[in-house]
Amino acid sequence: MKKAAVLLVLTMAVAFAGCGSTPQAGDAEGGNESNADSVSTTEVSDGGDILSDGVLTVGTNAEFPPFEYVGDDGEPDGFDIALIKAIGDKLGVEVEVENMEFDSLVASIGSKIDVAIAGMTVTEERQNMVDFSDSYYQAVQYVLLPAETEIAAAEDLAGKTIGAQLGTTGDLMIEDFEGATAKQYNKAVDAVNDLISGRLDAVIVDKNPALVFADKFSEEIQYMDFNFEPEDYAIALPKGDAALADAVNNALAELKTDGTFDDLVSQYIEN
Ligand code: GLN
């Protein structure tokens, strides 16, 4: 990575010097960019082209505590953010986090972002558009309910008005309950607020965020586990980039072996 950076600087200097005393608009920049490309593809073999500029741009939706949320300093924080930064350290790249809507993440890979980490469940539908890293966490959907409710089992959700974050696995489950009305939100917390104010009968959201919300609003709401199918979280990667997938999976495996992963679990999830 360092070698590539030095070469890049040298190539840029040469390209700049090549402009001589008659600078032509656009030329220098265009020249630099194409030289930078040729440096990166020839000098960096581990991790593929995406890592060769030294920056990994990571999309997330910082509305999903404890995996991602906006910290006190206004920057995205949480287990996923710490994990991807640790992966970046292993790969020798800087991690830049882009906070965006959950529903836009998959489609933005390859354009606005390189990869996405967002408590994202591996699903067949998503696998048509992106590849996934090895799974790093097992989750399950929980149901948030008002403190007082008649709902006591999954079948009681039939015919109810149910909220979820748009485009999530929780959202997709709502159609399984006969006659249920789905209400979709950009943020799970907005669904929780509608549950508290009586506009919803239930909210379906992943277990760990459900526990955070139920704890935060413990007077008004409760959580229930209806034994839905377990889900696997993984990092979404550009389709077909085996070099990047290998690099990310190797870094993840190293973090598990050296204890960093478990430290992050106890710091962010099981605290
Ligand atoms: N695990 C769920 C999904 O992948 C929810 C993720 C989220 O809201 N950040 O759809």
Side-chain angles (χ1 to χ4, degrees), residues 91-186:
L91 301 179
V93 294
E94 194 186 317
V95 167
E96 267 178 21
V97 179
E98 291 284 333
N99 190 8
M100 53 206 293
E101 282 180 12
F102 183 80
D103 202 35
S104 313
L105 287 169
V106 164
S108 299
I109 291 176
S111 53
K112 280 194 208 112
I113 52 174
D114 296 324
V115 305
I117 190 162
M120 191 181 285
T121 302
V122 178
T123 67
E124 270 182 35
E125 199 194 355
R126 291 174 185 155
Q127 277 171 321
N128 290 330
M129 295 173 74
V130 291
D131 286 343
F132 282 99
S133 69
D134 292 339
S135 174
Y136 62 86
Y137 197 79
Q138 198 176 64
V140 66
Q141 297 300 309
Y142 267 21
V143 180
L144 291 173
L145 298 162
E148 293 205 2
T149 178
E150 288 165 6
I151 298 169
E155 50 268 28
D156 299 335
L157 293 169
K160 297 289 192 287
T161 304
I162 307 172
Q165 189 179 17
L166 177 69
T168 59
T169 45
D171 177 15
L172 296 172
M173 275 177 60
I174 300 175
E175 64 187 28
D176 295 346
F177 304 107
E178 219 188 310
T181 305
K183 281 203 176 176
Q184 290 133 331
Y185 299 80
N186 278 324

Coordinates of all heavy atoms in Angstrom, one line a residue, residues 91-186:
L91 N -6.4 -4.1 6.7 CA -6.1 -4.0 5.2 C -5.3 -2.8 4.9 O -4.9 -2.6 3.7 CB -7.5 -3.9 4.5 CG -8.4 -5.1 4.7 CD1 -9.7 -4.8 3.9 CD2 -7.8 -6.4 4.3
G92 N -4.9 -2.0 5.9 CA -4.1 -0.8 5.6 C -4.8 0.3 4.8 O -4.2 1.0 4.1
V93 N -6.1 0.4 5.0 CA -6.8 1.5 4.3 C -7.6 2.3 5.3 O -8.0 1.8 6.4 CB -7.8 0.9 3.2 CG1 -7.1 0.3 2.1 CG2 -8.9 0.0 3.9
E94 N -7.9 3.5 4.9 CA -8.7 4.4 5.8 C -10.2 4.1 5.5 O -10.5 3.9 4.3 CB -8.4 5.8 5.3 CG -8.8 6.9 6.3 CD -8.6 8.3 5.7 OE1 -7.5 8.5 5.1 OE2 -9.5 9.1 5.7
V95 N -11.0 4.1 6.5 CA -12.4 3.9 6.3 C -13.2 5.2 6.4 O -13.1 5.9 7.3 CB -12.9 2.9 7.4 CG1 -14.5 2.8 7.4 CG2 -12.4 1.5 7.1
E96 N -13.9 5.5 5.3 CA -14.8 6.6 5.3 C -16.3 6.2 5.3 O -16.7 5.4 4.5 CB -14.6 7.5 4.0 CG -13.6 8.6 4.3 CD -13.3 9.4 3.0 OE1 -14.1 9.4 2.1 OE2 -12.2 10.0 3.0
V97 N -17.0 6.6 6.3 CA -18.4 6.2 6.5 C -19.4 7.1 5.9 O -19.3 8.3 6.2 CB -18.7 5.9 8.0 CG1 -20.1 5.4 8.1 CG2 -17.7 4.9 8.5
E98 N -20.3 6.6 5.0 CA -21.3 7.4 4.4 C -22.6 7.0 5.1 O -23.0 5.8 5.0 CB -21.5 7.2 2.9 CG -20.3 7.7 2.1 CD -20.4 9.2 1.9 OE1 -21.5 9.7 1.9 OE2 -19.3 9.8 1.7
N99 N -23.3 7.9 5.8 CA -24.6 7.6 6.4 C -25.7 7.8 5.4 O -25.9 8.9 4.9 CB -24.7 8.5 7.6 CG -25.9 8.1 8.5 OD1 -26.5 7.0 8.3 ND2 -26.2 8.9 9.5
M100 N -26.5 6.8 5.1 CA -27.5 7.0 4.1 C -28.7 6.1 4.4 O -28.7 5.4 5.4 CB -27.0 6.6 2.7 CG -26.3 5.3 2.6 SD -25.1 5.2 1.3 CE -26.2 5.3 -0.1
E101 N -29.8 6.2 3.6 CA -31.0 5.4 3.9 C -30.7 3.9 3.7 O -30.0 3.5 2.8 CB -32.2 5.8 3.0 CG -32.8 7.1 3.6 CD -33.9 7.6 2.7 OE1 -34.4 6.9 1.9 OE2 -34.3 8.7 3.0
F102 N -31.2 3.1 4.6 CA -31.0 1.6 4.5 C -31.4 1.1 3.2 O -30.6 0.3 2.6 CB -31.7 0.9 5.6 CG -31.4 -0.6 5.6 CD1 -30.3 -1.1 6.2 CD2 -32.3 -1.5 5.0 CE1 -30.0 -2.4 6.1 CE2 -32.0 -2.8 5.0 CZ -30.9 -3.3 5.5
D103 N -32.5 1.5 2.7 CA -33.1 1.0 1.4 C -32.2 1.4 0.2 O -32.4 0.8 -0.9 CB -34.5 1.6 1.3 CG -35.3 0.7 0.4 OD1 -35.1 -0.5 0.4 OD2 -36.1 1.2 -0.4
S104 N -31.3 2.3 0.3 CA -30.4 2.7 -0.8 C -29.1 2.0 -0.8 O -28.3 2.1 -1.8 CB -30.1 4.2 -0.8 OG -31.3 5.0 -0.5
L105 N -28.8 1.3 0.3 CA -27.4 0.8 0.5 C -27.0 -0.2 -0.7 O -25.9 0.0 -1.3 CB -27.2 0.1 1.8 CG -27.2 1.1 3.0 CD1 -27.3 0.3 4.3 CD2 -25.9 1.9 3.0
V106 N -27.8 -1.2 -0.9 CA -27.4 -2.2 -1.8 C -27.2 -1.7 -3.2 O -26.2 -1.9 -3.9 CB -28.5 -3.4 -1.8 CG1 -28.3 -4.3 -3.0 CG2 -28.3 -4.2 -0.6
A107 N -28.1 -0.8 -3.6 CA -28.0 -0.2 -5.0 C -26.9 0.8 -5.1 O -26.4 1.1 -6.2 CB -29.3 0.5 -5.3
S108 N -26.3 1.3 -4.0 CA -25.3 2.3 -4.0 C -23.9 1.6 -4.1 O -22.9 2.3 -4.3 CB -25.3 3.2 -2.8 OG -26.5 3.9 -2.8
I109 N -23.8 0.3 -3.9 CA -22.5 -0.3 -3.9 C -22.0 -0.3 -5.4 O -22.7 -0.7 -6.3 CB -22.6 -1.8 -3.4 CG1 -22.9 -1.7 -1.9 CG2 -21.3 -2.6 -3.6 CD1 -23.1 -3.0 -1.2
G110 N -20.7 0.2 -5.5 CA -20.2 0.3 -6.8 C -20.3 1.7 -7.4 O -19.6 2.0 -8.4
S111 N -21.2 2.5 -6.8 CA -21.2 3.9 -7.2 C -20.8 4.8 -6.0 O -19.7 5.2 -5.9 CB -22.6 4.3 -7.8 OG -23.6 3.9 -6.9
K112 N -21.8 5.1 -5.2 CA -21.5 6.0 -4.0 C -20.6 5.4 -3.0 O -19.9 6.1 -2.3 CB -22.8 6.5 -3.4 CG -23.5 7.6 -4.1 CD -24.6 8.1 -3.2 CE -25.7 8.7 -4.0 NZ -27.0 8.0 -3.9
I113 N -20.7 4.1 -2.8 CA -20.0 3.4 -1.7 C -19.3 2.1 -2.3 O -19.7 1.6 -3.3 CB -20.9 3.0 -0.6 CG1 -22.1 2.2 -1.1 CG2 -21.3 4.3 0.2 CD1 -23.0 1.7 0.1
D114 N -18.2 1.7 -1.6 CA -17.6 0.5 -2.0 C -18.3 -0.8 -1.4 O -18.5 -1.8 -2.1 CB -16.1 0.5 -1.5 CG -15.3 1.6 -2.1 OD1 -15.5 1.9 -3.3 OD2 -14.4 2.1 -1.4
V115 N -18.6 -0.7 -0.1 CA -19.2 -1.8 0.6 C -20.3 -1.2 1.6 O -20.3 0.0 1.8 CB -18.2 -2.6 1.4 CG1 -17.1 -3.1 0.5 CG2 -17.6 -1.8 2.6
A116 N -21.1 -2.1 2.2 CA -22.0 -1.6 3.2 C -22.0 -2.5 4.4 O -21.9 -3.7 4.3 CB -23.4 -1.6 2.6
I117 N -22.1 -1.9 5.6 CA -22.2 -2.6 6.8 C -23.4 -1.9 7.6 O -23.3 -0.7 7.8 CB -20.9 -2.7 7.6 CG1 -21.0 -3.7 8.8 CG2 -20.4 -1.3 8.1 CD1 -19.7 -4.2 9.3
A118 N -24.4 -2.7 7.9 CA -25.6 -2.1 8.4 C -26.5 -3.1 9.1 O -27.7 -3.1 8.9 CB -26.4 -1.3 7.3
G119 N -25.9 -4.0 9.8 CA -26.7 -5.1 10.4 C -27.5 -5.8 9.3 O -28.7 -6.1 9.5
M120 N -26.9 -5.9 8.1 CA -27.6 -6.3 6.9 C -27.7 -7.9 6.9 O -26.7 -8.5 6.9 CB -27.0 -5.8 5.7 CG -27.9 -6.0 4.5 SD -27.2 -5.4 2.9 CE -27.4 -3.6 3.1
T121 N -28.9 -8.4 6.8 CA -29.1 -9.8 6.7 C -28.8 -10.3 5.3 O -29.2 -9.6 4.3 CB -30.6 -10.1 7.0 OG1 -30.9 -9.6 8.3 CG2 -30.9 -11.6 7.0
V122 N -28.2 -11.4 5.2 CA -28.0 -12.1 3.9 C -29.3 -12.6 3.4 O -29.9 -13.4 4.1 CB -27.0 -13.2 4.1 CG1 -26.8 -13.9 2.7 CG2 -25.6 -12.7 4.6
T123 N -29.8 -12.1 2.3 CA -31.0 -12.7 1.7 C -30.7 -13.0 0.2 O -29.9 -12.4 -0.4 CB -32.2 -11.6 1.7 OG1 -31.9 -10.6 0.9 CG2 -32.4 -11.1 3.1
E124 N -31.6 -13.9 -0.3 CA -31.4 -14.3 -1.7 C -31.6 -13.1 -2.7 O -30.9 -13.0 -3.6 CB -32.4 -15.4 -2.1 CG -31.9 -16.8 -1.8 CD -32.9 -17.9 -2.2 OE1 -33.6 -17.6 -3.2 OE2 -32.9 -18.9 -1.5
E125 N -32.6 -12.3 -2.3 CA -32.9 -11.2 -3.2 C -31.7 -10.2 -3.3 O -31.3 -9.8 -4.3 CB -34.1 -10.4 -2.6 CG -34.7 -9.5 -3.6 CD -35.7 -8.6 -2.9 OE1 -35.9 -8.7 -1.7 OE2 -36.2 -7.7 -3.7
R126 N -31.0 -10.0 -2.1 CA -29.8 -9.1 -2.1 C -28.7 -9.8 -2.8 O -27.9 -9.1 -3.4 CB -29.5 -8.7 -0.7 CG -30.5 -7.8 0.0 CD -30.3 -7.5 1.4 NE -31.3 -6.7 2.0 CZ -31.7 -6.7 3.3 NH1 -31.0 -7.5 4.2 NH2 -32.7 -6.0 3.7
Q127 N -28.6 -11.1 -2.7 CA -27.5 -11.8 -3.4 C -27.6 -11.7 -4.9 O -26.6 -12.0 -5.6 CB -27.5 -13.3 -2.9 CG -26.7 -13.4 -1.6 CD -26.9 -14.8 -1.0 OE1 -27.9 -15.4 -1.1 NE2 -25.8 -15.3 -0.4
N128 N -28.7 -11.3 -5.4 CA -28.8 -11.1 -6.9 C -28.0 -9.8 -7.2 O -27.6 -9.7 -8.4 CB -30.2 -10.9 -7.3 CG -31.0 -12.2 -7.2 OD1 -30.4 -13.3 -7.4 ND2 -32.3 -12.2 -7.0
M129 N -27.9 -8.9 -6.3 CA -27.2 -7.6 -6.6 C -25.8 -7.5 -6.0 O -25.0 -6.7 -6.6 CB -28.1 -6.5 -6.1 CG -29.5 -6.4 -6.8 SD -30.5 -5.2 -6.0 CE -29.7 -3.7 -6.6
V130 N -25.6 -8.1 -4.9 CA -24.3 -8.0 -4.2 C -23.8 -9.3 -3.7 O -24.6 -10.3 -3.6 CB -24.4 -7.0 -3.0 CG1 -24.6 -5.6 -3.5 CG2 -25.4 -7.4 -2.0
D131 N -22.5 -9.4 -3.4 CA -22.0 -10.5 -2.7 C -21.9 -10.2 -1.2 O -22.0 -9.0 -0.8 CB -20.6 -10.9 -3.1 CG -20.6 -11.5 -4.5 OD1 -21.7 -12.0 -4.9 OD2 -19.5 -11.5 -5.2
F132 N -21.8 -11.2 -0.4 CA -21.7 -10.9 1.1 C -20.4 -11.5 1.6 O -19.9 -12.6 1.1 CB -22.9 -11.5 1.8 CG -24.1 -10.7 1.7 CD1 -25.1 -11.0 0.8 CD2 -24.3 -9.6 2.6 CE1 -26.3 -10.2 0.7 CE2 -25.4 -8.8 2.5 CZ -26.4 -9.1 1.6
S133 N -19.8 -10.9 2.6 CA -18.7 -11.4 3.3 C -19.2 -12.7 4.1 O -20.4 -13.0 4.2 CB -18.1 -10.4 4.3 OG -19.1 -10.2 5.4
D134 N -18.2 -13.3 4.8 CA -18.6 -14.3 5.8 C -19.5 -13.6 6.8 O -19.4 -12.4 7.1 CB -17.4 -14.9 6.5 CG -16.6 -15.7 5.5 OD1 -17.1 -16.2 4.5 OD2 -15.4 -15.9 5.8
S135 N -20.5 -14.4 7.4 CA -21.4 -13.8 8.4 C -20.6 -13.5 9.7 O -19.7 -14.2 10.0 CB -22.5 -14.7 8.6 OG -23.3 -14.2 9.7
Y136 N -21.0 -12.3 10.3 CA -20.3 -12.0 11.6 C -21.3 -12.0 12.7 O -20.8 -11.8 13.9 CB -19.6 -10.6 11.4 CG -20.5 -9.5 11.1 CD1 -21.1 -8.7 12.2 CD2 -20.7 -9.1 9.8 CE1 -21.9 -7.7 11.9 CE2 -21.5 -8.0 9.5 CZ -22.1 -7.3 10.6 OH -22.9 -6.2 10.3
Y137 N -22.6 -12.1 12.5 CA -23.5 -12.1 13.7 C -24.8 -12.8 13.3 O -25.3 -12.7 12.2 CB -23.8 -10.6 14.0 CG -24.4 -10.5 15.4 CD1 -23.5 -10.5 16.5 CD2 -25.7 -10.3 15.6 CE1 -24.1 -10.4 17.8 CE2 -26.3 -10.2 16.9 CZ -25.4 -10.2 18.0 OH -25.9 -10.1 19.2
Q138 N -25.4 -13.5 14.3 CA -26.7 -14.1 14.0 C -27.7 -13.3 14.8 O -27.6 -13.0 15.9 CB -26.7 -15.6 14.4 CG -27.9 -16.3 13.8 CD -27.9 -17.7 14.1 OE1 -28.1 -18.2 15.2 NE2 -27.8 -18.6 13.0
A139 N -28.8 -13.0 14.0 CA -29.9 -12.2 14.6 C -31.2 -12.9 14.4 O -31.3 -13.9 13.8 CB -29.8 -10.8 13.9
V140 N -32.3 -12.2 14.8 CA -33.6 -12.7 14.6 C -34.5 -11.5 14.8 O -34.2 -10.5 15.4 CB -33.9 -13.8 15.7 CG1 -34.0 -13.3 17.1 CG2 -35.2 -14.6 15.3
Q141 N -35.7 -11.6 14.1 CA -36.7 -10.5 14.3 C -37.4 -10.6 15.6 O -37.9 -11.7 15.9 CB -37.7 -10.5 13.1 CG -37.0 -10.2 11.7 CD -36.3 -8.9 11.6 OE1 -36.9 -7.9 12.0 NE2 -35.0 -8.9 11.2
Y142 N -37.6 -9.5 16.3 CA -38.4 -9.4 17.5 C -39.6 -8.5 17.2 O -39.6 -7.8 16.2 CB -37.6 -8.8 18.6 CG -36.9 -9.7 19.5 CD1 -36.6 -11.0 19.1 CD2 -36.5 -9.3 20.8 CE1 -35.9 -11.9 20.0 CE2 -35.8 -10.2 21.7 CZ -35.5 -11.5 21.2 OH -34.9 -12.4 22.1
V143 N -40.6 -8.6 18.0 CA -41.8 -7.8 17.9 C -41.9 -6.8 19.1 O -41.8 -7.2 20.2 CB -43.1 -8.7 17.8 CG1 -44.3 -7.8 17.6 CG2 -42.9 -9.6 16.6
L144 N -42.0 -5.5 18.7 CA -42.3 -4.5 19.8 C -43.7 -4.3 19.9 O -44.4 -4.2 18.8 CB -41.5 -3.2 19.5 CG -40.0 -3.3 19.6 CD1 -39.4 -2.0 19.1 CD2 -39.5 -3.6 21.0
L145 N -44.3 -4.2 21.1 CA -45.7 -4.1 21.3 C -45.9 -3.1 22.4 O -45.1 -2.8 23.2 CB -46.2 -5.5 21.8 CG -46.1 -6.6 20.8 CD1 -46.3 -8.0 21.5 CD2 -47.1 -6.5 19.7
P146 N -47.1 -2.5 22.4 CA -47.4 -1.6 23.6 C -47.3 -2.4 24.9 O -47.5 -3.6 24.9 CB -48.9 -1.2 23.3 CG -49.2 -1.5 21.9 CD -48.3 -2.6 21.5
A147 N -47.1 -1.7 26.0 CA -47.0 -2.4 27.3 C -48.2 -3.2 27.5 O -48.1 -4.3 28.1 CB -46.8 -1.3 28.4
E148 N -49.4 -2.7 27.1 CA -50.6 -3.5 27.2 C -51.1 -3.9 25.9 O -51.3 -3.0 25.0 CB -51.7 -2.7 28.0 CG -51.3 -2.4 29.4 CD -52.5 -2.2 30.3 OE1 -53.6 -2.2 29.8 OE2 -52.2 -1.9 31.5
T149 N -51.2 -5.2 25.6 CA -51.6 -5.6 24.3 C -52.2 -7.0 24.4 O -52.0 -7.7 25.4 CB -50.4 -5.7 23.4 OG1 -50.7 -6.2 22.1 CG2 -49.3 -6.6 24.0
E150 N -53.1 -7.3 23.4 CA -53.6 -8.7 23.4 C -52.8 -9.6 22.5 O -53.0 -10.8 22.5 CB -55.0 -8.6 22.7 CG -56.0 -8.0 23.6 CD -57.3 -7.6 22.9 OE1 -57.4 -7.9 21.7 OE2 -58.1 -6.9 23.5
I151 N -51.8 -9.0 21.9 CA -50.9 -9.9 21.0 C -50.0 -10.7 21.8 O -49.2 -10.1 22.6 CB -50.2 -9.0 20.0 CG1 -51.1 -8.2 19.1 CG2 -49.2 -9.8 19.2 CD1 -50.5 -7.1 18.3
A152 N -50.0 -12.0 21.7 CA -49.2 -12.8 22.5 C -48.4 -13.9 21.7 O -47.6 -14.7 22.2 CB -50.0 -13.5 23.6
A153 N -48.7 -14.0 20.4 CA -48.1 -15.0 19.5 C -48.1 -14.4 18.1 O -48.9 -13.5 17.8 CB -48.9 -16.3 19.6
A154 N -47.3 -15.0 17.2 CA -47.2 -14.5 15.9 C -48.5 -14.4 15.2 O -48.8 -13.5 14.4 CB -46.2 -15.4 15.1
E155 N -49.4 -15.5 15.4 CA -50.7 -15.5 14.6 C -51.6 -14.3 15.0 O -52.4 -13.9 14.2 CB -51.4 -16.8 14.8 CG -51.5 -17.4 16.2 CD -50.4 -18.3 16.6 OE1 -49.3 -18.1 16.1 OE2 -50.6 -19.2 17.4
D156 N -51.3 -13.8 16.2 CA -52.1 -12.6 16.6 C -51.8 -11.4 15.8 O -52.5 -10.3 15.9 CB -51.9 -12.3 18.1 CG -52.3 -13.4 19.0 OD1 -53.2 -14.3 18.6 OD2 -51.8 -13.6 20.1
L157 N -50.8 -11.4 15.0 CA -50.4 -10.2 14.2 C -51.3 -10.1 12.9 O -51.3 -9.1 12.3 CB -48.9 -10.3 13.8 CG -47.9 -10.1 14.9 CD1 -46.5 -10.5 14.5 CD2 -48.0 -8.7 15.5
A158 N -52.1 -11.2 12.6 CA -53.0 -11.1 11.5 C -53.9 -10.0 11.7 O -54.5 -9.7 12.8 CB -53.7 -12.4 11.4
G159 N -54.1 -9.2 10.6 CA -55.1 -8.1 10.6 C -54.6 -6.8 11.3 O -55.4 -5.9 11.4
K160 N -53.4 -6.9 11.9 CA -52.9 -5.7 12.7 C -52.2 -4.7 11.8 O -51.8 -5.0 10.6 CB -52.0 -6.2 13.8 CG -52.7 -7.1 14.8 CD -53.7 -6.3 15.6 CE -54.2 -7.1 16.8 NZ -55.2 -8.1 16.5
T161 N -52.0 -3.5 12.3 CA -51.2 -2.5 11.6 C -49.8 -2.6 12.2 O -49.6 -2.3 13.4 CB -51.8 -1.1 11.8 OG1 -53.2 -1.1 11.4 CG2 -51.0 0.0 11.1
I162 N -48.9 -2.9 11.3 CA -47.5 -3.2 11.8 C -46.5 -2.3 11.1 O -46.5 -2.1 9.9 CB -47.2 -4.7 11.4 CG1 -48.3 -5.7 12.0 CG2 -45.8 -5.1 12.0 CD1 -48.1 -7.1 11.6
G163 N -45.6 -1.8 11.9 CA -44.6 -0.9 11.3 C -43.2 -1.6 11.2 O -42.9 -2.5 12.0
A164 N -42.4 -1.1 10.3 CA -41.0 -1.6 10.2 C -40.2 -0.6 9.4 O -40.8 0.3 8.7 CB -41.0 -2.9 9.4
Q165 N -38.9 -0.7 9.4 CA -38.1 0.1 8.6 C -38.1 -0.4 7.1 O -38.0 -1.6 6.9 CB -36.6 0.1 9.1 CG -35.8 1.2 8.4 CD -34.4 1.2 8.8 OE1 -33.9 0.3 9.5 NE2 -33.7 2.3 8.5
L166 N -38.3 0.6 6.2 CA -38.5 0.3 4.8 C -37.3 -0.6 4.3 O -36.2 -0.3 4.5 CB -38.5 1.6 4.0 CG -38.6 1.5 2.5 CD1 -40.0 1.0 2.1 CD2 -38.3 2.9 1.9
G167 N -37.7 -1.6 3.6 CA -36.7 -2.5 2.9 C -36.0 -3.5 3.8 O -35.1 -4.1 3.3
T168 N -36.4 -3.6 5.0 CA -35.7 -4.5 5.9 C -36.4 -5.9 5.9 O -37.5 -6.0 5.4 CB -35.7 -4.0 7.4 OG1 -37.1 -3.8 7.8 CG2 -35.0 -2.7 7.5
T169 N -35.7 -6.8 6.4 CA -36.3 -8.2 6.5 C -37.6 -8.1 7.4 O -38.5 -8.9 7.1 CB -35.3 -9.2 7.0 OG1 -34.6 -8.6 8.2 CG2 -34.3 -9.5 6.0
G170 N -37.6 -7.3 8.4 CA -38.8 -7.1 9.2 C -40.0 -6.6 8.4 O -41.1 -7.1 8.5
D171 N -39.7 -5.6 7.5 CA -40.7 -5.1 6.6 C -41.3 -6.2 5.7 O -42.5 -6.3 5.5 CB -40.0 -4.0 5.8 CG -40.9 -3.3 4.8 OD1 -42.1 -3.5 4.8 OD2 -40.4 -2.6 3.9
L172 N -40.4 -7.0 5.1 CA -40.8 -8.0 4.2 C -41.6 -9.1 4.9 O -42.4 -9.8 4.2 CB -39.6 -8.7 3.5 CG -38.8 -7.7 2.7 CD1 -37.5 -8.4 2.2 CD2 -39.6 -7.3 1.4
M173 N -41.5 -9.3 6.2 CA -42.2 -10.3 6.9 C -43.7 -10.0 7.1 O -44.5 -10.8 7.3 CB -41.7 -10.5 8.3 CG -40.5 -11.4 8.4 SD -39.8 -11.5 10.0 CE -41.3 -12.0 10.9
I174 N -44.0 -8.7 7.0 CA -45.4 -8.2 7.4 C -46.4 -8.9 6.5 O -47.5 -9.3 7.0 CB -45.5 -6.7 7.4 CG1 -44.5 -6.1 8.4 CG2 -46.9 -6.2 7.7 CD1 -44.4 -4.6 8.4
E175 N -46.1 -9.1 5.2 CA -47.0 -9.7 4.3 C -47.4 -11.1 4.7 O -48.4 -11.7 4.2 CB -46.5 -9.6 2.8 CG -45.3 -10.4 2.6 CD -44.7 -10.2 1.2 OE1 -44.9 -9.1 0.7 OE2 -44.0 -11.2 0.8
D176 N -46.6 -11.7 5.5 CA -46.9 -13.1 6.0 C -48.1 -13.2 6.9 O -48.6 -14.2 7.1 CB -45.7 -13.7 6.7 CG -44.5 -13.9 5.9 OD1 -44.6 -13.8 4.6 OD2 -43.4 -14.1 6.4
F177 N -48.5 -12.0 7.5 CA -49.6 -12.0 8.4 C -50.8 -11.6 7.7 O -50.9 -10.4 7.3 CB -49.2 -11.1 9.6 CG -47.9 -11.5 10.3 CD1 -46.8 -10.8 10.1 CD2 -47.8 -12.7 11.0 CE1 -45.6 -11.2 10.7 CE2 -46.6 -13.2 11.5 CZ -45.5 -12.4 11.4
E178 N -51.7 -12.5 7.6 CA -52.9 -12.3 6.8 C -53.7 -11.0 7.2 O -54.0 -10.8 8.4 CB -53.9 -13.5 7.0 CG -54.5 -13.8 5.6 CD -55.6 -14.9 5.8 OE1 -55.3 -16.0 6.5 OE2 -56.7 -14.7 5.4
G179 N -54.0 -10.2 6.2 CA -54.8 -9.0 6.5 C -54.1 -7.9 7.2 O -54.7 -6.9 7.6
A180 N -52.8 -8.1 7.5 CA -52.0 -7.1 8.2 C -51.8 -5.9 7.3 O -51.6 -6.0 6.1 CB -50.7 -7.6 8.7
T181 N -51.7 -4.7 7.8 CA -51.4 -3.5 7.1 C -49.9 -3.1 7.4 O -49.6 -2.9 8.6 CB -52.3 -2.3 7.5 OG1 -53.6 -2.8 7.3 CG2 -52.0 -1.1 6.7
A182 N -49.1 -2.9 6.4 CA -47.7 -2.6 6.6 C -47.5 -1.1 6.6 O -48.1 -0.4 5.7 CB -46.8 -3.2 5.6
K183 N -46.8 -0.5 7.6 CA -46.4 0.9 7.5 C -44.9 1.0 7.5 O -44.3 0.4 8.5 CB -47.0 1.7 8.7 CG -48.5 2.0 8.5 CD -48.9 3.2 9.4 CE -50.3 3.6 9.1 NZ -50.7 4.7 10.1
Q184 N -44.4 1.6 6.5 CA -42.9 1.6 6.4 C -42.3 3.0 6.8 O -42.9 4.0 6.5 CB -42.5 1.3 5.0 CG -42.8 -0.2 4.7 CD -43.5 -0.4 3.4 OE1 -44.2 0.5 2.9 NE2 -43.2 -1.5 2.8
Y185 N -41.2 2.9 7.4 CA -40.5 4.1 7.9 C -39.1 4.1 7.5 O -38.5 3.1 7.3 CB -40.5 4.1 9.5 CG -42.0 4.2 10.0 CD1 -42.7 3.0 10.1 CD2 -42.5 5.3 10.5 CE1 -44.0 3.0 10.6 CE2 -43.8 5.4 11.0 CZ -44.6 4.2 11.0 OH -45.8 4.2 11.5
N186 N -38.5 5.3 7.4 CA -37.0 5.4 7.0 C -36.2 5.1 8.3 O -35.0 4.6 8.1 CB -36.6 6.7 6.5 CG -37.0 6.8 5.0 OD1 -36.8 5.7 4.3 ND2 -37.4 7.9 4.5

